[in-house]
Amino acid sequence: MKAVRIVQGRAVPLDRSDVDTDQIIPSDWLKRVERTGFDEGLFATWRDDPDFILNNKNYRGAKILVAGTNFGTGSSREHAVWAIQQYGFEAVVSPRFADIFRNNCTKNGLVAVQVSPDCGSDLMAAVQAAPDLQVTIDVTQLTVKVPAIKFATTYKMDVATQRRLLEGLGDIELTLQHANDIVTYEQNRRHWLPRSVSFPE
């Protein structure tokens, strides 16, 4: 997993609340056996509408998705996070995330920034009014800033999640930090008990 410290760039205002994972990536896309190509399915149904925000050329290349409250509800499909990342987004800002979706973000290196409802509304309005605004999300300082409009706020993130993002630690990397302890444990298990196979020394 790639380490994330600063996410800086333009933002897309997705002014919709209660966006669920089936809207983020429709179920037809879950049949894929590869872990790539999900960007084409991101908000696929909504993108059929020419007026949908992702079809607005002024927001092409944006790195940050600013969403309404209660983002990522519904099923636990990890594909939703993959689709968002593969489209080019590195962070999502919302007043509230579904717990499972936020957990999937953490495991894949997508920064989920939960701000207050007022800050979320202010940022949404600002990005809608000026698509070229540069937004900076600092994972080290836990801040969101838009210098051009003097917008600044902080957000909360538990220490473990912040560390995972800053150091690029997925579940496998976290486990391998204890490789020596695991090897020692396996070497001392009774011979008739199940064992891990070929764990790296």
Side-chain angles (χ1 to χ4, degrees), residues 45-88:
T45 302
W46 293 344
R47 282 163 73 180
D48 288 339
D49 178 359
D51 294 327
F52 180 59
I53 194 67
L54 288 192
N55 294 326
N56 186 327
K57 64 181 181 180
N58 293 323
Y59 293 101
R60 288 177 187 166
K63 294 184 178 180
I64 299 163
L65 180 64
V66 179
T69 192
N70 210 27
F71 187 81
T73 61
S75 69
S76 63
R77 64 189 70 168
E78 200 170 11
H79 309 70
V81 174
W82 300 345
I84 291 170
Q85 288 181 304
Q86 290 170 20
Y87 190 83

Side-chain angles (χ1 to χ4, degrees), residues 175-176 178-187 189 196 199:
T175 300
L176 289 177
H178 304 282
N180 292 336
D181 293 335
I182 294 171
V183 169
T184 299
Y185 176 78
E186 290 292 331
Q187 289 174 342
R189 284 167 62 88
S196 63
F199 197 89

Side-chain angles (χ1 to χ4, degrees), residues 63-170:
K63 294 184 178 180
I64 299 163
L65 180 64
V66 179
T69 192
N70 210 27
F71 187 81
T73 61
S75 69
S76 63
R77 64 189 70 168
E78 200 170 11
H79 309 70
V81 174
W82 300 345
I84 291 170
Q85 288 181 304
Q86 290 170 20
Y87 190 83
F89 293 115
E90 298 176 16
V92 181
V93 181
S94 171
R96 184 183 182 281
F97 293 97
D99 290 338
I100 294 176
F101 176 81
R102 178 166 39 201
N103 188 48
N104 285 337
C105 288
T106 298
K107 292 176 179 289
N108 288 278
L110 179 64
V111 184
V113 179
Q114 185 166 322
V115 297
S116 71
D118 287 344
C119 285
S121 296
D122 289 346
L123 184 59
M124 180 78 71
V127 175
Q128 287 173 327
D132 289 333
L133 278 180
Q134 291 291 312
V135 181
T136 300
I137 296 171
D138 190 324
V139 181
T140 303
Q141 301 296 324
L142 299 180
T143 58
V144 180
K145 295 181 179 180
V146 186
I149 58 171
K150 298 181 180 179
F151 175 94
T153 188
T154 59
Y155 62 97
K156 294 182 180 179
M157 181 177 288
D158 65 86
V159 174
T161 297
Q162 185 183 26
R163 176 174 173 255
R164 285 176 67 128
L165 291 170
L166 291 174
E167 298 182 24
L169 300 174

Side-chain angles (χ1 to χ4, degrees), residues 35-46:
R35 191 175 164 173
T36 58
F38 289 101
D39 53 313
E40 296 178 16
L42 179 66
F43 303 122
T45 302
W46 293 344

